[in-house]
Amino acid sequence: MKLLLSSLLSLAAVAAHAQNQVQTIKGRIYDEASGTPLQGVIISVTDLSPVKGTATDSAGNFILDSIAIGRRTLKISYVSYESKTLNDIEVTAGKQVNLNIGLQEEVKTLKEVTITYNRSKDKNSTVNDMALVSARSFNVDETKRYAGALGDPSRMAANFAGIVAGNDSRNDIVVRGNAPTGMLWQLDGLNSPNPNHFGTLNSTGGPVSMLNNNNIDKSDFLTGAFPAQYGNALAGVFDIKLREGNRQKDEYVAQVGFNGFEGGAEGPIGKNKRTSYLINYRYSTLGVFKELGLNLGTGTAVPIYQDVNYKLVTRPGKKSKLSFFGLAGDSKGDFLGKDIDSTKPDLYGGDRFSNQRSKFRTTITGLSYDYQLSELSSTKLIAGYSTTLQHYTKDSISDVDRSEYPNQAADFITGKLSLQWLYQHKFNAKNNIQTGVIYENISYNTVYKTMTPGQPDNVFQDQKGNMGQEQAYIQWKHRFNKDFSLVGGVHFQYLDLNSSFAAEPRLSFRYVFNSRHSVGLGYGMHNQAQNVYTYFVRTPSATGALLTNKNLGFTRSQHLVATYNLNVTQNMRIKAESYYQAIDKVPVTSFASSYSALNSGASFYLDNQDNLVNKGTGYNYGAELTVEHFLTKGYYFLVTTSFIESRYKGSDGVERNTAFNTGYVANVLGGKEFKIGHSGSILALNIKVAKIGGKYLTPIDTGLSRQAGEAIYIKDLAYTEKQQDYFRADFKISLKKEYRKSTLEFSLDLQNITNQKNIFDQNYDARSNKKITNYQQGFFPVPLFRWTF
């Protein structure tokens, strides 16, 4: 490690670079409520001597040239609007800085009023100005900075209050005790499928994210009582925004790490510079090594994946913008027991008595048109199409003669056509509304069966067709004065498969006592349709297979959130939130059992439960505390603590822990940047420590399992066996070197530096007749090189 850092610093010392490296800061300023570009806004770089400044043009655009590299402070001022100060904007030699900044009009003002806070990285301030509680923004810097995040938005979000990960192999997240399946993903406003490699039909996560963090703009993450524009979700929302490519010059990025070899480009198209492109492609590192004949300890099971993220933006006129965006990714992995050599290391494990082959593909494509109707109103149209594919086969291998025979086969294919319309209007400084309509037509072709030699196939799923889902909403924000804001709205949704309908009221407010204290309260009713697979599980009968789940209605949840925020200083805050969530209309069995759909996603096996009815209940409540110092003067820290209680009742009427009732989660993160020399080089050290309460598992009946030759669980004691607490510490070291027109970065993320053995699950090994415990990832180093130019 010392030798590697020494080599990099030596290379930097002999490289030619200018003593006064400079870069460009540019962006767009707009009215937060109406989306109207603001002309004449003053932007100043206040930490330069002399101060440098400029003003926005008629399209709200600005350009600041020849800004010295380093971390810079910007002040944005406009008469009758709240001014903003953006601290620690990172300016590097390899890439121009592009900012999109919304300003809020002052309710009472005859002169300019300045309210100073770190807007671009302030977690109290979201891109969506309708979100007043249980929401925070994040940016690409956080996905790159946090130890253990690996550039993944989901793994980054696992550090926030109320969020539980606890699974090292995947990025599924549990929001306040809810199942991971309760998440909603949006990509530039388009409702999207699971954007992760190896993401199964019944999950919202996976081992590797398809989202490229080099393409992400400032985005929002919401965890409860979210605004009326979001529907068909019970737990939370990832509202991902993709940034636009540079319209002034071509820029490139090359990157290699454990997650893949990656290349990206962006820049203008045409001489008038009204059009820009942005594209990034990645191919799995292990896949490249496999082609080269190298084995890094993964055995014969090598996960291979590739993905592309893109966005093309053009401006046909001064008031319009047309965007074409999306991503596509495919992944495959073969775990072949017939090829396993037990004398060699095998990172991904493997079963010597089965061959498993899987293939996944996801595409998300969107076309949006924005038009400024007037200075006070705008509209947006989005058309999108997304697809998912999951193919899986399993062959069993005889432990006698090593012969192979088919055991399982699954094919799940979905497609979704989406049409969306949005309209927003600002009446005055106190009032603005937003309304929209969403139509989705979902096609599906699902097949799943198990096979036993000499017996008929056991078919759990064999369905093909399509269904429509419609959503509509309206929401209004009223500012009584500069301190008191209220947002109210209602969301509607309808599923034509079984004529399910829901009307959902939403209401929240925030009151600011002074520049330091604020309180908020939010309520929201939220409904979610069942997974496509759930509706079409087959029930055998004398007259043929029945679809006993097809008429399942929405699961309903009601959120109540109270929040308090204290700005200790301009760059440090303390936030406390408490919540209660009542859940009903949960699918449970029509006969007495411990089953509940609230535990869906606890494992990654298909849920083939039939005969379900909407009669289950559950609840989640808890308290959260966040202490955060934003990156200023070269350091930051984030401390989050959450206390969680998550319970449910199945059709047997017994109240139990859910699979996600960990009780508590605590995260401590921090980092420090050190300047090296006078050329802009930065050495950064980052650490993360996480402690999570042990999960509850269902105990295995070893006697019955021995007789059956497979795991038999004591379902009457579902989720009563508590496991040991989860603990993990990560440490990340990075070095950034500035050259004349490029930036070179190296980082080494040391995951689980204590090599802690955290329990993943328990199972039964039929061949050894023993209950076995499976553990999660041990110590694992993840290097990364990035070059921007």
Side-chain angles (χ1 to χ4, degrees), residues 410-446:
D411 279 289
F412 307 129
I413 302 172
T414 69
K416 182 168 68 176
L417 172 66
S418 301
L419 299 173
Q420 299 181 206
W421 169 74
L422 164 70
Y423 172 79
Q424 57 185 10
H425 178 75
K426 176 182 175 181
F427 294 99
N428 49 47
K430 289 188 174 184
N431 297 281
N432 61 283
I433 65 166
Q434 187 181 95
T435 186
V437 177
I438 303 170
Y439 171 75
E440 296 174 337
N441 185 278
I442 304 164
S443 62
Y444 49 86
N445 187 353
T446 57

mmCIF file of all heavy atoms in Angstrom, residues 410-446:
data_model
loop_
_atom_site.group_PDB
_atom_site.id
_atom_site.type_symbol
_atom_site.label_atom_id
_atom_site.label_comp_id
_atom_site.label_asym_id
_atom_site.label_seq_id
_atom_site.Cartn_x
_atom_site.Cartn_y
_atom_site.Cartn_z
ATOM 1 N N ALA A 410 -37.226 -21.557 -14.809
ATOM 2 C CA ALA A 410 -38.031 -20.342 -14.645
ATOM 3 C C ALA A 410 -37.708 -19.355 -15.750
ATOM 4 O O ALA A 410 -36.544 -19.189 -16.133
ATOM 5 C CB ALA A 410 -37.765 -19.705 -13.282
ATOM 6 N N ASP A 411 -38.748 -18.708 -16.271
ATOM 7 C CA ASP A 411 -38.605 -17.625 -17.236
ATOM 8 C C ASP A 411 -39.615 -16.539 -16.873
ATOM 9 O O ASP A 411 -40.824 -16.794 -16.878
ATOM 10 C CB ASP A 411 -38.852 -18.113 -18.665
ATOM 11 C CG ASP A 411 -37.633 -18.793 -19.263
ATOM 12 O OD1 ASP A 411 -36.651 -18.081 -19.566
ATOM 13 O OD2 ASP A 411 -37.663 -20.025 -19.408
ATOM 14 N N PHE A 412 -39.119 -15.363 -16.580
ATOM 15 C CA PHE A 412 -39.990 -14.237 -16.250
ATOM 16 C C PHE A 412 -39.640 -13.070 -17.162
ATOM 17 O O PHE A 412 -38.514 -12.560 -17.128
ATOM 18 C CB PHE A 412 -39.810 -13.822 -14.784
ATOM 19 C CG PHE A 412 -39.962 -14.950 -13.808
ATOM 20 C CD1 PHE A 412 -38.994 -15.187 -12.852
ATOM 21 C CD2 PHE A 412 -41.068 -15.777 -13.859
ATOM 22 C CE1 PHE A 412 -39.123 -16.223 -11.952
ATOM 23 C CE2 PHE A 412 -41.211 -16.817 -12.957
ATOM 24 C CZ PHE A 412 -40.242 -17.050 -12.005
ATOM 25 N N ILE A 413 -40.595 -12.647 -17.951
ATOM 26 C CA ILE A 413 -40.394 -11.543 -18.890
ATOM 27 C C ILE A 413 -41.502 -10.517 -18.665
ATOM 28 O O ILE A 413 -42.679 -10.866 -18.661
ATOM 29 C CB ILE A 413 -40.424 -12.034 -20.351
ATOM 30 C CG1 ILE A 413 -39.354 -13.096 -20.582
ATOM 31 C CG2 ILE A 413 -40.221 -10.861 -21.313
ATOM 32 C CD1 ILE A 413 -39.452 -13.775 -21.938
ATOM 33 N N THR A 414 -41.118 -9.270 -18.467
ATOM 34 C CA THR A 414 -42.111 -8.200 -18.316
ATOM 35 C C THR A 414 -41.741 -7.022 -19.212
ATOM 36 O O THR A 414 -40.566 -6.811 -19.544
ATOM 37 C CB THR A 414 -42.209 -7.695 -16.861
ATOM 38 O OG1 THR A 414 -41.014 -7.003 -16.518
ATOM 39 C CG2 THR A 414 -42.439 -8.844 -15.898
ATOM 40 N N GLY A 415 -42.753 -6.272 -19.585
ATOM 41 C CA GLY A 415 -42.561 -5.031 -20.329
ATOM 42 C C GLY A 415 -43.543 -3.998 -19.807
ATOM 43 O O GLY A 415 -44.656 -4.348 -19.405
ATOM 44 N N LYS A 416 -43.143 -2.740 -19.792
ATOM 45 C CA LYS A 416 -44.041 -1.707 -19.281
ATOM 46 C C LYS A 416 -43.972 -0.465 -20.163
ATOM 47 O O LYS A 416 -42.920 0.150 -20.323
ATOM 48 C CB LYS A 416 -43.695 -1.341 -17.840
ATOM 49 C CG LYS A 416 -44.634 -0.290 -17.242
ATOM 50 C CD LYS A 416 -44.471 -0.160 -15.743
ATOM 51 C CE LYS A 416 -43.146 0.419 -15.355
ATOM 52 N NZ LYS A 416 -43.026 0.628 -13.898
ATOM 53 N N LEU A 417 -45.120 -0.114 -20.742
ATOM 54 C CA LEU A 417 -45.266 1.124 -21.491
ATOM 55 C C LEU A 417 -45.822 2.188 -20.550
ATOM 56 O O LEU A 417 -46.850 1.978 -19.906
ATOM 57 C CB LEU A 417 -46.208 0.922 -22.680
ATOM 58 C CG LEU A 417 -46.606 2.185 -23.455
ATOM 59 C CD1 LEU A 417 -45.385 2.777 -24.162
ATOM 60 C CD2 LEU A 417 -47.721 1.881 -24.446
ATOM 61 N N SER A 418 -45.138 3.324 -20.462
ATOM 62 C CA SER A 418 -45.527 4.383 -19.534
ATOM 63 C C SER A 418 -45.767 5.687 -20.284
ATOM 64 O O SER A 418 -44.973 6.068 -21.150
ATOM 65 C CB SER A 418 -44.439 4.612 -18.482
ATOM 66 O OG SER A 418 -44.167 3.446 -17.745
ATOM 67 N N LEU A 419 -46.862 6.357 -19.915
ATOM 68 C CA LEU A 419 -47.160 7.686 -20.426
ATOM 69 C C LEU A 419 -47.481 8.586 -19.236
ATOM 70 O O LEU A 419 -48.321 8.237 -18.402
ATOM 71 C CB LEU A 419 -48.348 7.650 -21.395
ATOM 72 C CG LEU A 419 -48.174 6.800 -22.651
ATOM 73 C CD1 LEU A 419 -49.493 6.716 -23.423
ATOM 74 C CD2 LEU A 419 -47.069 7.360 -23.542
ATOM 75 N N GLN A 420 -46.815 9.738 -19.135
ATOM 76 C CA GLN A 420 -46.998 10.621 -17.994
ATOM 77 C C GLN A 420 -47.143 12.070 -18.445
ATOM 78 O O GLN A 420 -46.506 12.499 -19.419
ATOM 79 C CB GLN A 420 -45.806 10.507 -17.029
ATOM 80 C CG GLN A 420 -45.603 9.126 -16.444
ATOM 81 C CD GLN A 420 -44.432 9.038 -15.486
ATOM 82 O OE1 GLN A 420 -43.840 7.996 -15.299
ATOM 83 N NE2 GLN A 420 -44.104 10.154 -14.855
ATOM 84 N N TRP A 421 -47.993 12.798 -17.731
ATOM 85 C CA TRP A 421 -48.157 14.227 -17.970
ATOM 86 C C TRP A 421 -48.087 14.959 -16.643
ATOM 87 O O TRP A 421 -48.681 14.529 -15.652
ATOM 88 C CB TRP A 421 -49.500 14.508 -18.644
ATOM 89 C CG TRP A 421 -49.848 15.968 -18.692
ATOM 90 C CD1 TRP A 421 -49.309 16.918 -19.498
ATOM 91 C CD2 TRP A 421 -50.820 16.632 -17.861
ATOM 92 N NE1 TRP A 421 -49.881 18.151 -19.235
ATOM 93 C CE2 TRP A 421 -50.816 18.009 -18.237
ATOM 94 C CE3 TRP A 421 -51.692 16.208 -16.853
ATOM 95 C CZ2 TRP A 421 -51.648 18.950 -17.637
ATOM 96 C CZ3 TRP A 421 -52.519 17.145 -16.244
ATOM 97 C CH2 TRP A 421 -52.487 18.503 -16.644
ATOM 98 N N LEU A 422 -47.341 16.055 -16.615
ATOM 99 C CA LEU A 422 -47.159 16.849 -15.406
ATOM 100 C C LEU A 422 -47.420 18.318 -15.731
ATOM 101 O O LEU A 422 -46.985 18.815 -16.785
ATOM 102 C CB LEU A 422 -45.731 16.682 -14.874
ATOM 103 C CG LEU A 422 -45.235 17.697 -13.840
ATOM 104 C CD1 LEU A 422 -45.948 17.502 -12.518
ATOM 105 C CD2 LEU A 422 -43.721 17.579 -13.644
ATOM 106 N N TYR A 423 -48.102 18.996 -14.822
ATOM 107 C CA TYR A 423 -48.334 20.434 -14.962
ATOM 108 C C TYR A 423 -48.089 21.087 -13.613
ATOM 109 O O TYR A 423 -48.543 20.595 -12.572
ATOM 110 C CB TYR A 423 -49.772 20.714 -15.410
ATOM 111 C CG TYR A 423 -50.160 22.173 -15.389
ATOM 112 C CD1 TYR A 423 -49.766 23.032 -16.408
ATOM 113 C CD2 TYR A 423 -50.913 22.697 -14.328
ATOM 114 C CE1 TYR A 423 -50.114 24.375 -16.392
ATOM 115 C CE2 TYR A 423 -51.267 24.040 -14.299
ATOM 116 C CZ TYR A 423 -50.864 24.876 -15.338
ATOM 117 O OH TYR A 423 -51.212 26.206 -15.311
ATOM 118 N N GLN A 424 -47.343 22.186 -13.600
ATOM 119 C CA GLN A 424 -47.126 22.923 -12.367
ATOM 120 C C GLN A 424 -47.329 24.416 -12.624
ATOM 121 O O GLN A 424 -46.982 24.942 -13.685
ATOM 122 C CB GLN A 424 -45.738 22.654 -11.789
ATOM 123 C CG GLN A 424 -44.569 22.946 -12.699
ATOM 124 C CD GLN A 424 -43.252 22.533 -12.061
ATOM 125 O OE1 GLN A 424 -43.222 21.876 -11.024
ATOM 126 N NE2 GLN A 424 -42.144 22.921 -12.680
ATOM 127 N N HIS A 425 -47.927 25.079 -11.618
ATOM 128 C CA HIS A 425 -48.252 26.492 -11.761
ATOM 129 C C HIS A 425 -48.003 27.200 -10.438
ATOM 130 O O HIS A 425 -48.356 26.695 -9.361
ATOM 131 C CB HIS A 425 -49.717 26.676 -12.151
ATOM 132 C CG HIS A 425 -50.140 28.105 -12.269
ATOM 133 N ND1 HIS A 425 -49.782 28.896 -13.341
ATOM 134 C CD2 HIS A 425 -50.866 28.905 -11.440
ATOM 135 C CE1 HIS A 425 -50.281 30.102 -13.178
ATOM 136 N NE2 HIS A 425 -50.944 30.150 -12.033
ATOM 137 N N LYS A 426 -47.395 28.359 -10.535
ATOM 138 C CA LYS A 426 -47.128 29.193 -9.372
ATOM 139 C C LYS A 426 -48.079 30.387 -9.422
ATOM 140 O O LYS A 426 -48.004 31.224 -10.330
ATOM 141 C CB LYS A 426 -45.670 29.654 -9.390
ATOM 142 C CG LYS A 426 -45.303 30.614 -8.286
ATOM 143 C CD LYS A 426 -43.844 31.043 -8.439
ATOM 144 C CE LYS A 426 -43.456 32.098 -7.429
ATOM 145 N NZ LYS A 426 -42.049 32.530 -7.601
ATOM 146 N N PHE A 427 -48.998 30.465 -8.463
ATOM 147 C CA PHE A 427 -49.941 31.579 -8.409
ATOM 148 C C PHE A 427 -49.245 32.855 -7.937
ATOM 149 O O PHE A 427 -49.445 33.926 -8.486
ATOM 150 C CB PHE A 427 -51.105 31.240 -7.482
ATOM 151 C CG PHE A 427 -51.963 30.114 -7.988
ATOM 152 C CD1 PHE A 427 -51.790 28.822 -7.497
ATOM 153 C CD2 PHE A 427 -52.924 30.328 -8.950
ATOM 154 C CE1 PHE A 427 -52.572 27.775 -7.960
ATOM 155 C CE2 PHE A 427 -53.720 29.298 -9.419
ATOM 156 C CZ PHE A 427 -53.539 28.017 -8.920
ATOM 157 N N ASN A 428 -48.455 32.709 -6.881
ATOM 158 C CA ASN A 428 -47.709 33.824 -6.302
ATOM 159 C C ASN A 428 -46.648 33.239 -5.383
ATOM 160 O O ASN A 428 -46.428 32.018 -5.378
ATOM 161 C CB ASN A 428 -48.649 34.775 -5.549
ATOM 162 C CG ASN A 428 -49.580 34.036 -4.593
ATOM 163 O OD1 ASN A 428 -49.131 33.177 -3.834
ATOM 164 N ND2 ASN A 428 -50.865 34.358 -4.639
ATOM 165 N N ALA A 429 -46.001 34.103 -4.623
ATOM 166 C CA ALA A 429 -44.937 33.628 -3.744
ATOM 167 C C ALA A 429 -45.439 32.676 -2.687
ATOM 168 O O ALA A 429 -44.673 31.890 -2.127
ATOM 169 C CB ALA A 429 -44.239 34.815 -3.086
ATOM 170 N N LYS A 430 -46.741 32.695 -2.404
ATOM 171 C CA LYS A 430 -47.288 31.866 -1.335
ATOM 172 C C LYS A 430 -47.876 30.548 -1.826
ATOM 173 O O LYS A 430 -47.975 29.598 -1.045
ATOM 174 C CB LYS A 430 -48.379 32.633 -0.577
ATOM 175 C CG LYS A 430 -47.872 33.758 0.291
ATOM 176 C CD LYS A 430 -49.008 34.328 1.138
ATOM 177 C CE LYS A 430 -48.507 35.370 2.124
ATOM 178 N NZ LYS A 430 -49.588 35.854 3.010
ATOM 179 N N ASN A 431 -48.308 30.476 -3.069
ATOM 180 C CA ASN A 431 -49.074 29.316 -3.525
ATOM 181 C C ASN A 431 -48.573 28.760 -4.850
ATOM 182 O O ASN A 431 -48.348 29.521 -5.798
ATOM 183 C CB ASN A 431 -50.558 29.693 -3.687
ATOM 184 C CG ASN A 431 -51.201 30.096 -2.395
ATOM 185 O OD1 ASN A 431 -51.569 29.255 -1.579
ATOM 186 N ND2 ASN A 431 -51.342 31.418 -2.181
ATOM 187 N N ASN A 432 -48.406 27.449 -4.894
ATOM 188 C CA ASN A 432 -48.133 26.766 -6.157
ATOM 189 C C ASN A 432 -48.739 25.368 -6.113
ATOM 190 O O ASN A 432 -48.890 24.761 -5.043
ATOM 191 C CB ASN A 432 -46.634 26.699 -6.452
ATOM 192 C CG ASN A 432 -45.828 25.952 -5.420
ATOM 193 O OD1 ASN A 432 -45.548 26.463 -4.337
ATOM 194 N ND2 ASN A 432 -45.441 24.724 -5.759
ATOM 195 N N ILE A 433 -49.142 24.872 -7.263
ATOM 196 C CA ILE A 433 -49.756 23.548 -7.372
ATOM 197 C C ILE A 433 -49.002 22.705 -8.388
ATOM 198 O O ILE A 433 -48.281 23.223 -9.248
ATOM 199 C CB ILE A 433 -51.245 23.624 -7.775
ATOM 200 C CG1 ILE A 433 -51.379 24.204 -9.185
ATOM 201 C CG2 ILE A 433 -52.063 24.380 -6.765
ATOM 202 C CD1 ILE A 433 -52.752 24.002 -9.793
ATOM 203 N N GLN A 434 -49.217 21.415 -8.285
ATOM 204 C CA GLN A 434 -48.660 20.457 -9.233
ATOM 205 C C GLN A 434 -49.666 19.333 -9.408
ATOM 206 O O GLN A 434 -50.251 18.853 -8.432
ATOM 207 C CB GLN A 434 -47.333 19.904 -8.717
ATOM 208 C CG GLN A 434 -46.584 19.019 -9.704
ATOM 209 C CD GLN A 434 -45.293 18.496 -9.112
ATOM 210 O OE1 GLN A 434 -45.252 17.395 -8.574
ATOM 211 N NE2 GLN A 434 -44.237 19.285 -9.176
ATOM 212 N N THR A 435 -49.896 18.930 -10.630
ATOM 213 C CA THR A 435 -50.826 17.841 -10.902
ATOM 214 C C THR A 435 -50.272 16.977 -12.024
ATOM 215 O O THR A 435 -49.448 17.435 -12.836
ATOM 216 C CB THR A 435 -52.226 18.376 -11.275
ATOM 217 O OG1 THR A 435 -53.131 17.286 -11.396
ATOM 218 C CG2 THR A 435 -52.191 19.144 -12.602
ATOM 219 N N GLY A 436 -50.696 15.730 -12.075
ATOM 220 C CA GLY A 436 -50.179 14.841 -13.096
ATOM 221 C C GLY A 436 -51.014 13.584 -13.243
ATOM 222 O O GLY A 436 -51.815 13.224 -12.372
ATOM 223 N N VAL A 437 -50.825 12.905 -14.376
ATOM 224 C CA VAL A 437 -51.504 11.652 -14.692
ATOM 225 C C VAL A 437 -50.457 10.661 -15.201
ATOM 226 O O VAL A 437 -49.560 11.029 -15.967
ATOM 227 C CB VAL A 437 -52.591 11.862 -15.762
ATOM 228 C CG1 VAL A 437 -53.233 10.532 -16.142
ATOM 229 C CG2 VAL A 437 -53.651 12.842 -15.274
ATOM 230 N N ILE A 438 -50.561 9.410 -14.758
ATOM 231 C CA ILE A 438 -49.632 8.352 -15.157
ATOM 232 C C ILE A 438 -50.439 7.157 -15.650
ATOM 233 O O ILE A 438 -51.342 6.677 -14.953
ATOM 234 C CB ILE A 438 -48.733 7.908 -13.984
ATOM 235 C CG1 ILE A 438 -47.971 9.095 -13.415
ATOM 236 C CG2 ILE A 438 -47.769 6.812 -14.423
ATOM 237 C CD1 ILE A 438 -47.253 8.792 -12.105
ATOM 238 N N TYR A 439 -50.112 6.677 -16.852
ATOM 239 C CA TYR A 439 -50.723 5.442 -17.362
ATOM 240 C C TYR A 439 -49.616 4.443 -17.652
ATOM 241 O O TYR A 439 -48.614 4.764 -18.311
ATOM 242 C CB TYR A 439 -51.524 5.700 -18.629
ATOM 243 C CG TYR A 439 -51.983 4.399 -19.284
ATOM 244 C CD1 TYR A 439 -53.034 3.668 -18.738
ATOM 245 C CD2 TYR A 439 -51.331 3.895 -20.406
ATOM 246 C CE1 TYR A 439 -53.432 2.469 -19.304
ATOM 247 C CE2 TYR A 439 -51.728 2.695 -20.980
ATOM 248 C CZ TYR A 439 -52.782 1.982 -20.421
ATOM 249 O OH TYR A 439 -53.167 0.786 -20.982
ATOM 250 N N GLU A 440 -49.802 3.210 -17.170
ATOM 251 C CA GLU A 440 -48.822 2.148 -17.405
ATOM 252 C C GLU A 440 -49.532 0.895 -17.886
ATOM 253 O O GLU A 440 -50.507 0.448 -17.275
ATOM 254 C CB GLU A 440 -48.046 1.840 -16.120
ATOM 255 C CG GLU A 440 -47.209 3.017 -15.624
ATOM 256 C CD GLU A 440 -46.556 2.754 -14.289
ATOM 257 O OE1 GLU A 440 -47.037 1.892 -13.533
ATOM 258 O OE2 GLU A 440 -45.554 3.425 -13.989
ATOM 259 N N ASN A 441 -49.050 0.356 -18.985
ATOM 260 C CA ASN A 441 -49.548 -0.918 -19.498
ATOM 261 C C ASN A 441 -48.442 -1.958 -19.321
ATOM 262 O O ASN A 441 -47.348 -1.825 -19.889
ATOM 263 C CB ASN A 441 -49.946 -0.807 -20.966
ATOM 264 C CG ASN A 441 -50.584 -2.087 -21.475
ATOM 265 O OD1 ASN A 441 -49.907 -3.034 -21.845
ATOM 266 N ND2 ASN A 441 -51.909 -2.107 -21.492
ATOM 267 N N ILE A 442 -48.723 -2.969 -18.507
ATOM 268 C CA ILE A 442 -47.707 -3.947 -18.107
ATOM 269 C C ILE A 442 -47.990 -5.285 -18.783
ATOM 270 O O ILE A 442 -49.068 -5.872 -18.614
ATOM 271 C CB ILE A 442 -47.709 -4.129 -16.576
ATOM 272 C CG1 ILE A 442 -47.515 -2.786 -15.884
ATOM 273 C CG2 ILE A 442 -46.632 -5.124 -16.144
ATOM 274 C CD1 ILE A 442 -47.873 -2.790 -14.416
ATOM 275 N N SER A 443 -47.043 -5.768 -19.556
ATOM 276 C CA SER A 443 -47.152 -7.101 -20.157
ATOM 277 C C SER A 443 -46.294 -8.073 -19.349
ATOM 278 O O SER A 443 -45.290 -7.695 -18.757
ATOM 279 C CB SER A 443 -46.683 -7.080 -21.612
ATOM 280 O OG SER A 443 -45.313 -6.715 -21.709
ATOM 281 N N TYR A 444 -46.701 -9.349 -19.331
ATOM 282 C CA TYR A 444 -45.986 -10.343 -18.539
ATOM 283 C C TYR A 444 -46.061 -11.711 -19.208
ATOM 284 O O TYR A 444 -47.036 -12.052 -19.877
ATOM 285 C CB TYR A 444 -46.562 -10.431 -17.120
ATOM 286 C CG TYR A 444 -48.070 -10.548 -17.072
ATOM 287 C CD1 TYR A 444 -48.705 -11.784 -17.163
ATOM 288 C CD2 TYR A 444 -48.866 -9.406 -16.973
ATOM 289 C CE1 TYR A 444 -50.086 -11.887 -17.137
ATOM 290 C CE2 TYR A 444 -50.250 -9.501 -16.946
ATOM 291 C CZ TYR A 444 -50.851 -10.739 -17.031
ATOM 292 O OH TYR A 444 -52.226 -10.841 -17.028
ATOM 293 N N ASN A 445 -45.009 -12.459 -19.037
ATOM 294 C CA ASN A 445 -44.934 -13.852 -19.506
ATOM 295 C C ASN A 445 -44.104 -14.601 -18.471
ATOM 296 O O ASN A 445 -42.883 -14.520 -18.464
ATOM 297 C CB ASN A 445 -44.293 -13.919 -20.890
ATOM 298 C CG ASN A 445 -44.353 -15.323 -21.478
ATOM 299 O OD1 ASN A 445 -44.756 -16.285 -20.813
ATOM 300 N ND2 ASN A 445 -43.941 -15.462 -22.721
ATOM 301 N N THR A 446 -44.776 -15.302 -17.551
ATOM 302 C CA THR A 446 -44.097 -15.903 -16.401
ATOM 303 C C THR A 446 -44.303 -17.416 -16.380
ATOM 304 O O THR A 446 -45.425 -17.905 -16.488
ATOM 305 C CB THR A 446 -44.628 -15.307 -15.078
ATOM 306 O OG1 THR A 446 -46.040 -15.500 -15.005
ATOM 307 C CG2 THR A 446 -44.347 -13.811 -15.017
#
